[in-house]
Amino acid sequence: MALLEVLQRKIHKYGLVPKLIKALPIISLVCALVGTGWILYLPIDGQYRKTYISENALMPSQAYSYYRESEWNFLRGYRDELHNLVANSTIERNAEVKNYLTEAGYTAAEHHYTPSNANESGSNVYGILNAPRGDGTEAMVIVAPWTTSDGTYNENGIALAMGMARYFARWTIWSKNIILVIPENNQFALRSWVKSYHSSLDLTAGSIEAALVIEYPGSGDYYDYLEVSYEGVNGQLPNLDLLNTAISISEHEGMKVSLQKTPKDQIGENTYWSRLTVLFNGIKALALAGLKRSNGCEVFSGYRIQAITLRAVGDNGSVDITTLGRVIEATFRSVNNLLEKFHQSFFFYLMLAPRNFISIGTYLPSAVFFSVAFALAALSEILNCGLPLPVLVGSGTKVLLTFLSITASSLLLGSLVLFFPVPASLIYYTFLIFGLIVASLPTKQLLLAALARPWGKSNPANPYIQLASSAHLLHAVCLLYASLIITSILVVNFSLAYTMSICMLPLTFVRPITLRSSNYQENINAVSLLLSCPFFIVLLIGILDGDFTNGPVEVMQGLLTSWKDFDCWTWSIVIVGWIPVWIGSAVCGSLIVDESEYGVVDLKKDL
Amino acid sequence: MVKGYAFVLALGLALELIMTILFPSFSGFLDSAVEFSTPVTSWRSIEEGIFLLKHNIDPYDGGVVYHPPVLIKLFSQVKDLFGTNTTSWRIASGLIFQIADILTSIELIQISKKFLREYKNPKQGTYTVLIAIFYTFNPIKILSVLSNSSIIFSNLFIASTLYSMVVLENVALAAASLAMGTYLSYNPCFLLFPFIGMVINLKNHLSPCSSIIKSISVALIPFIATFTGLLYCSYIINNNNWNFLMATYGTNIFFTKINPNLGLWWYFFIEIFEFFSKFFIGVFNIYNLVYILPLTIRFQNSKFSNLQINNKYLIFPFVLSYGFVVLTKAYPTLNDLGFICQLLLLLVFQNDLKILKFLRYPIVSILLVIHAVILSPIFYYLWIFSGSGNSNFFYAINLVYSLGLGFMLIDFIWSYLSLEYLFEKNNGKEVDYDAKLRLTQI
């Protein structure tokens, strides 16, 4: 305590408090820059860590894998049969596969579901191999969808999965049940299977510990390299041990592993730039998870299932199809060793390279800095606006009510939009145009007319003071709220928190204009509002991200449907946390002009 | 404006009642939320007790019921009125809690009004309405009332103690209220010390030469009489069995029901620390008491204004002590936070809002508490439901919450001491409260 006292005395002596208060906007900006820079700093040598297997029971690649050429004939047999089914309907295909499964000794069943946007129902087929050893309360899942995420026929994938299923049935070592699922696709169809498995399916096999989604389109015998995806929705990731196990087994089998769709020629690289690329692609993928329908492992989110997707890429490489079989076999044997649920290692991490990662403690400060930056900006808005505190507090109730109603209406409209039977494109362009109008200059007068009147009334003698104080306070409340939102999601979904804070950062530059403010302030406000408009960001994502073939409309579609399809929270966070802050700041930025209507008075002098 | 605040309270009651009627599962949801419900305060446990009592099974045998027998007996009597109509019983039981909460608010508002009147504050009416709004529409308060947590009754009796002391100046009634609060939830027993201090001070003001022994006995005799009376009633109700003592007070003291909650205790009783658990029980029970006596003694004769009202009612150590009890108790909930905020507001009005001027870091403590309140369900979710977090996440946020609450209390002490310092420096003359104090230590 003595040290604190000395510190406090020094602070008083040098009058640091007022100086610090004056510098608050700069401190806030510095915090934001540190937050951004932090991530750039992490891929530097010495900042990241090497992956390791934390759970000793896993023992990846310790047992010899027997899935070799002897099994190739069965695999080819299945593939030839499946090749003939390309033109058939899913019902016919499923009936056929169900036969294979029953023949192999599996208890097979079909699962019917109704897609959210169609009338006809789809169906998935799955089979269960009861564990020869063990009590059958746990299960491992292997998934091979009929269509891969690119929309191609997953011929090799299903043939391999069937071959594996047949092969697994001959082993007596399994202490966990094995479930083979062949869904129509690895998106909504698989999600509804996972949902039903945990609620209504008759044929189940205990709690699912791990799931592998296999994608291998085409009918060749060879492939180039393996792509591993691991992002779940709402910031959930599979336990790092599972990912490490899969990567270590794959590399042990002599194939190259690509994370975050690193192209073939860059896979072996491990430089600062390659790590940074993987890191940023990872953040982007996790922030957009659920919106982008591509992996298949995200559908297992929310049920404590560790899931990854293995995707064989290319068809003229040096790795043959049984190698992928051995990867699956060895991974299953590792998981089979587990006596407890995955609990060691990390659930929160960012990958830099297949064998390098950063853990939560290292990257979290960057989002914390953003949160602090917003809080400081809010504080600066209150302390540096030149109005005495009582005047500001006086407009507190009004401002809080205003902000509350903005949030409530955003939430209401945002949730109603989910149920509107209108195409996403219409909703999107309406919102985008609204955003552009609000951000641009001419409407300010319009907004004023609507909002200034009730705000100005309470103090008829000098109404602009009330107005100015309300504007400042509203902006402060918005920024504080933004800080709160970022803090609350930063542990759950760091990537979303980080992306959102960067997008919202321009809002801290929106300033009410007084006589003291510069001539450019109005333009700064407009640009800031435009840059941080959620729908403008959607536009940017749609244009810049090649995975969204339909552009921004597809992003919007993802935002709107992911709530119902995947229980993904991104849209709700946007309508609760982002849009209200943006509208509040826009209102605050628009109200400024009104001061001139009352005849601009230097507030400081007048008070 | 009396109508004004009554209107606000009625509006709050209506809102809560409507929520009870429209969302039948909401109170059950809150009752299962770790922030609003602990084994010793939960509504499920009361209902279990009613059921067991009705079937002539000893409620304290199974380790499910931790509520005192009189409370369960009363609720069971009320439930009998409704027969098998579960919907109306649900609404009626909700209403009982809501009315208890409204009574608490009314008592505390009356105290504030007395202070405001004494200061001849020109904005009396506005302030009363503002207090009522703060009391009624505080989201934490609304949620805690809807959670049907039995701590609400205990809070009611603590408020009654203050009300009887300040507004009625009836020591016997106050002592009896405190005894009832103690009977219901154990922790208020620590308030006996500041309460005796309050009584001595009040007696001194009413008749300056009254003896201390007499004051203490005036406070203690009704307290002990009520408390033993209630215990004896419980003994009779519980089929002449004392086992309820261990289930109710024993659980609070020995922390036999180890559940995660907002408090500081639970983490130390998890399995890997089992070796130390006896030591921790000792430490935490001492920690419960350790702030109380110093606070009581230090503020016993403190003066910072000529005004009679400040010196006559020593509510400051009482409220602060309860703050520290909440900070250190075994099974705290957010309900306690709501109640502490209500009590702290009393201190603000006792000093005619001057105490607000000398708070050093109100923004920090408020932000800490808000962040903790928002993050705690999120971290609990990560630990229990999504499985990607662990207990350390949740306990870390409990520490932040306690830090925020502690900051709040310490800040009030600092501000109070600053006022006292100003008053003493000016030898009791009128004090300029707008003076900029540049103190680092008092």
Side-chain angles (χ1 to χ4, degrees):
Chain A
M1 283 315 272
L3 185 68
L4 274 181
E5 262 168 47
V6 171
L7 203 67
Q8 211 175 0
R9 276 175 216 274
K10 282 265 185 317
I11 289 172
H12 274 295
K13 192 175 160 197
Y14 296 113
L16 279 182
V17 177
K19 282 179 198 161
L20 282 176
I21 288 177
K22 231 175 181 165
L24 269 179
I26 295 167
I27 301 176
S28 152
L29 185 63
V30 167
C31 276
L33 291 180
V34 171
T36 325
W38 192 278
I39 286 288
L40 302 178
Y41 177 62
L42 291 174
I44 292 177
D45 277 327
Q47 300 309 312
Y48 56 87
R49 293 164 70 182
K50 282 201 161 139
T51 60
Y52 57 97
I53 306 286
S54 177
E55 168 67 84
N56 290 325
L58 282 169
M59 299 192 289
S61 300
Q62 293 300 298
Y64 186 76
S65 301
Y66 291 94
Y67 194 82
R68 285 174 196 273
E69 288 71 12
S70 57
E71 297 295 320
W72 212 320
N73 289 333
F74 294 108
L75 182 74
R76 284 185 179 138
Y78 280 125
R79 193 169 59 202
D80 288 344
E81 292 298 316
L82 288 166
H83 192 75
N84 299 331
L85 293 175
V86 183
N88 292 30
S89 72
T90 317
I91 311 276
E92 289 162 339
R93 288 178 188 173
N94 282 351
E96 188 75 19
V97 170
K98 205 174 158 186
N99 272 341
Y100 301 160
L101 281 170
T102 321
E103 273 169 28
Y106 281 60
T107 323
E110 272 183 84
H111 160 248
H112 301 279
Y113 66 94
T114 317
S116 53
N117 50 2
N119 293 324
E120 88 276 24
S121 90
S123 93
N124 306 321
V125 64
Y126 69 104
I128 289 172
L129 176 71
N130 286 311
R133 303 177 182 192
D135 52 5
T137 54
E138 293 170 321
M140 303 178 282
V141 173
I142 176 165
V143 179
W146 283 112
T147 27
T148 64
S149 35
D150 312 329
T152 46
Y153 185 48
N154 194 10
E155 194 175 322
N156 263 332
I158 296 178
L160 182 64
M162 275 311 307
M164 297 303 300
R166 192 182 172 283
Y167 169 74
F168 285 157
R170 304 208 312 262
W171 282 87
T172 55
I173 51 159
W174 303 116
S175 60
K176 292 179 173 45
N177 298 325
I178 290 172
I179 309 178
L180 173 69
V181 190
I182 303 199
E184 187 135 7
N185 52 52
N186 61 12
Q187 289 139 39
F188 183 74
L190 185 54
R191 178 69 182 180
S192 47
W193 180 82
V194 176
K195 262 189 180 168
S196 307
Y197 184 88
H198 293 92
S199 54
S200 62
L201 280 188
D202 288 331
L203 182 67
T204 57
S207 78
I208 300 173
E209 298 298 300
L212 295 181
V213 182
I214 312 297
E215 284 190 6
Y216 188 174
S219 53
D221 275 338
Y222 293 90
Y223 65 95
D224 258 351
Y225 62 95
L226 191 69
E227 235 178 48
V228 180
S229 312
Y230 50 89
E231 300 86 13
V233 292
N234 303 330
Q236 295 191 24
L237 292 165
N239 190 287
L240 188 55
D241 264 346
L242 178 69
L243 187 62
N244 285 342
T245 306
I247 289 173
S248 122
I249 291 170
S250 309
E251 292 193 342
H252 180 80
E253 291 291 344
M255 73 183 82
K256 286 179 172 175
V257 175
S258 148
L259 290 185
Q260 304 300 344
K261 309 216 158 116
T262 311
K264 189 187 172 190
D265 50 330
Q266 293 165 20
I267 288 178
E269 269 181 56
N270 198 346
T271 60
Y272 175 79
W273 293 109
S274 80
R275 289 190 291 264
L276 191 68
T277 317
V278 173
L279 174 65
F280 267 113
N281 285 338
I283 291 178
K284 193 182 79 181
L286 210 50
L288 294 177
L291 279 57
K292 205 188 261 190
R293 307 292 163 79
S294 51
N295 289 336
C297 52
E298 72 261 36
V299 301
F300 287 95
S301 290
Y303 295 96
R304 285 195 174 205
I305 299 170
Q306 320 306 329
I308 52 176
T309 301
L310 305 176
R311 193 177 295 120
V313 185
D315 45 12
N316 49 3
S318 56
V319 197
D320 74 64
I321 187 166
T322 57
T323 321
L324 184 56
R326 286 198 291 282
V327 170
I328 299 168
E329 179 194 350
T331 311
F332 265 39
R333 289 202 66 171
S334 285
V335 175
N336 192 48
N337 287 340
L338 284 181
L339 296 174
E340 305 166 67
K341 275 182 168 294
F342 278 101
H343 66 282
Q344 300 218 25
S345 196
F346 298 90
F347 281 98
F348 297 108
Y349 52 85
L350 292 171
M351 297 303 288
L352 297 179
R355 300 275 190 165
N356 298 119
F357 79 107
I358 35 181
S359 73
I360 182 163
T362 324
Y363 65 71
L364 202 60
S366 104
V368 174
F369 270 112
F370 271 109
S371 173
V372 171
F374 279 101
L376 289 181
L379 211 58
S380 149
E381 192 66 57
I382 293 176
L383 296 175
N384 288 333
C385 67
L387 299 171
L389 215 54
V391 173
L392 283 170
V393 174
S395 49
T397 323
K398 246 181 301 177
V399 167
L400 279 181
L401 279 179
T402 311
F403 186 69
L404 220 70
S405 45
I406 290 176
T407 314
S409 33
S410 161
L411 177 65
L412 197 70
L413 189 65
S415 350
L416 279 181
V417 158
L418 294 177
F419 303 102
F420 277 167
V422 247
S425 55
L426 185 68
I427 298 174
Y428 174 64
Y429 287 116
T430 319
F431 279 153
L432 181 67
I433 289 166
F434 167 76
L436 291 178
I437 291 176
V438 172
S440 61
L441 298 168
T443 45
K444 286 187 174 167
Q445 305 295 341
L446 226 143
L447 261 172
L448 278 178
L451 284 163
R453 214 153 294 248
W455 274 15
K457 245 181 200 167
S458 63
N459 191 354
N462 39 5
Y464 61 89
I465 290 180
Q466 272 300 333
L467 199 57
S469 70
S470 303
H472 284 293
L473 199 62
L474 180 62
H475 193 213
V477 169
C478 285
L479 294 176
L480 207 58
Y481 182 72
S483 151
L484 208 59
I485 289 287
I486 290 163
T487 319
S488 48
I489 58 172
L490 65 86
V491 175
V492 186
N493 194 348
F494 166 81
S495 307
L496 188 63
Y498 181 76
T499 325
M500 245 172 76
S501 17
I502 289 185
C503 296
M504 280 158 76
L505 191 65
L507 289 181
T508 58
F509 305 121
V510 174
R511 288 265 184 289
I513 299 166
T514 64
L515 261 191
R516 291 166 289 155
S517 58
S518 75
N519 298 334
Y520 299 110
Q521 191 59 53
E522 262 183 58
N523 300 338
I524 294 176
N525 285 356
V527 173
S528 306
L529 284 172
L530 179 69
L531 284 180
S532 55
C533 173
F535 304 101
F536 182 69
I537 301 291
V538 167
L539 183 73
L540 288 186
I541 295 172
I543 293 170
L544 296 178
D545 192 328
D547 288 346
F548 292 104
T549 40
N550 273 341
V553 175
E554 195 185 333
V555 185
M556 191 69 188
Q557 180 110 35
L559 269 173
L560 293 178
T561 51
S562 59
W563 168 258
K564 265 185 280 179
D565 293 356
F566 292 114
D567 300 306
C568 171
W569 302 333
T570 312
W571 176 245
S572 37
I573 289 172
V574 168
I575 58 175
V576 173
W578 189 348
I579 295 179
V581 174
W582 185 80
I583 293 182
S585 305
V587 167
C588 151
S590 317
L591 279 167
I592 315 149
V593 187
D594 198 47
E595 265 170 23
S596 63
E597 271 187 6
Y598 288 102
V600 183
V601 182
D602 192 336
L603 293 170
K604 245 185 184 164
K605 203 169 64 191
D606 201 67
L607 286 166
Chain B
M1 279 314 259
V2 178
K3 272 180 200 159
Y5 95 80
F7 176 70
V8 172
L9 292 181
L11 209 64
L13 183 65
L15 178 77
E16 285 160 7
L17 199 60
I18 288 170
M19 285 184 82
T20 322
I21 295 170
L22 288 186
F23 307 107
S25 55
F26 192 54
S27 116
F29 165 73
L30 287 175
D31 195 26
S32 59
V34 72
E35 284 79 18
F36 287 102
S37 165
T38 61
V40 298
T41 60
S42 94
W43 171 243
R44 271 171 303 167
S45 156
I46 295 183
E47 287 209 311
E48 187 73 21
I50 297 172
F51 180 83
L52 293 173
L53 207 61
K54 195 163 273 172
H55 292 80
N56 278 326
I57 303 167
D58 182 1
Y60 300 102
D61 209 18
V64 194
V65 181
Y66 303 97
H67 291 276
V70 171
L71 187 69
I72 293 177
K73 186 73 186 170
L74 282 177
F75 265 112
S76 129
Q77 295 292 339
V78 179
K79 191 178 180 179
D80 282 344
L81 299 177
F82 291 92
T84 51
N85 192 340
T86 46
T87 317
S88 56
W89 161 240
R90 182 176 57 75
I91 294 167
S93 56
L95 196 62
I96 294 172
F97 285 95
Q98 287 152 17
I99 288 173
D101 181 61
I102 292 284
L103 284 178
T104 313
S105 300
I106 291 175
E107 284 177 342
L108 295 180
I109 290 172
Q110 289 297 337
I111 300 172
S112 295
K113 274 185 71 171
K114 176 159 183 175
F115 293 148
L116 283 166
R117 222 179 298 128
E118 207 82 16
Y119 283 111
K120 300 193 175 59
N121 194 312
K123 288 189 193 163
Q124 216 186 103
T126 327
Y127 278 134
T128 322
V129 174
L130 281 181
I131 300 169
I133 290 175
F134 175 75
Y135 281 6
T136 334
F137 294 108
N138 181 351
I140 291 180
K141 202 67 208 146
I142 292 179
L143 292 178
S144 49
V145 173
L146 290 177
S147 73
N148 288 2
S149 159
S150 69
I151 195 76
I152 286 168
F153 299 115
S154 185
N155 291 348
L156 170 65
F157 285 114
I158 293 171
S160 302
T161 311
L162 284 172
Y163 180 75
S164 314
M165 282 302 282
V166 177
V167 180
L168 304 177
E169 296 187 359
N170 185 338
V171 175
L173 197 59
S177 301
L178 190 60
M180 286 195 247
T182 305
Y183 173 75
L184 286 174
S185 72
Y186 165 72
N187 292 92
C189 73
F190 297 114
L191 291 179
L192 199 56
F193 298 104
F195 176 69
I196 289 173
M198 239 171 132
V199 172
I200 293 173
N201 192 55
L202 183 70
K203 289 284 168 198
N204 263 337
H205 270 84
L206 294 178
S207 50
C209 44
S210 61
S211 78
I212 289 182
I213 305 289
K214 203 179 152 198
S215 306
I216 293 180
S217 50
V218 167
L220 270 184
I221 290 171
F223 180 87
I224 294 172
T226 318
F227 192 62
T228 43
L230 282 168
L231 285 188
Y232 187 68
C233 280
S234 315
Y235 174 68
I236 301 291
I237 289 171
N238 199 30
N239 290 328
N240 299 346
N241 194 339
W242 286 113
N243 69 348
F244 71 91
L245 282 180
M246 195 56 209
T248 50
Y249 308 120
T251 310
N252 270 295
I253 296 168
F254 300 110
F255 203 69
T256 43
K257 185 80 183 168
I258 303 165
N259 264 32
N261 58 42
L262 276 180
L264 297 167
W265 289 47
W266 64 271
Y267 190 80
F268 290 87
F269 292 87
I270 55 176
E271 212 177 327
I272 43 169
F273 303 139
E274 210 173 325
F275 190 71
F276 300 106
S277 73
K278 286 210 171 74
F279 169 69
F280 286 139
I281 285 172
V283 169
F284 275 114
N285 275 299
I286 293 171
Y287 191 51
N288 242 335
L289 187 68
V290 82
Y291 293 105
I292 311 293
L293 273 177
L295 275 175
T296 310
I297 296 167
R298 172 59 183 83
F299 293 104
Q300 186 59 37
N301 293 311
S302 93
K303 285 184 179 175
F304 63 83
S305 155
N306 298 342
L307 279 170
Q308 183 83 4
I309 191 100
N310 278 311
N311 308 325
K312 195 169 168 186
Y313 309 111
L314 266 185
I315 64 169
F316 185 81
F318 187 88
V319 170
L320 259 286
S321 298
Y322 195 61
F324 281 105
V325 168
V326 165
L327 185 68
T328 58
K329 75 197 257 191
Y331 296 101
T333 54
L334 279 186
N335 310 12
D336 293 307
L337 175 70
F339 187 58
I340 279 300
C341 290
Q342 288 187 328
L343 289 182
L344 287 177
L345 207 61
L346 284 187
L347 298 183
V348 171
F349 286 102
Q350 192 194 17
N351 305 309
D352 199 22
L353 293 113
K354 300 217 165 46
I355 204 163
L356 290 181
K357 286 197 174 121
F358 297 99
L359 292 178
R360 279 194 297 185
Y361 24 67
I363 295 180
V364 177
S365 42
I366 290 173
L367 281 183
L368 275 179
V369 170
I370 290 179
H371 276 88
V373 167
I374 289 180
L375 284 179
S376 88
I378 293 173
F379 282 11
Y380 191 73
Y381 167 85
L382 278 183
W383 171 27
I384 299 293
F385 298 102
S386 93
S388 37
N390 54 35
S391 59
N392 299 334
F393 284 56
F394 186 61
Y395 192 66
I397 216 65
N398 289 357
L399 288 178
V400 173
Y401 170 76
S402 302
L403 193 71
L405 190 57
F407 264 12
M408 230 151 81
L409 299 175
I410 291 169
D411 215 8
F412 265 85
I413 293 179
W414 168 268
S415 181
Y416 195 90
L417 289 174
S418 306
L419 286 172
E420 193 189 82
Y421 166 83
L422 269 179
F423 182 72
E424 277 169 8
K425 206 176 76 171
N426 291 7
N427 291 326
K429 282 187 233 90
E430 225 13 78
V431 180
D432 175 21
Y433 289 107
D434 291 326
K436 279 250 187 283
L437 264 187
R438 288 177 60 157
L439 295 171
T440 51
Q441 193 181 10
I442 291 181

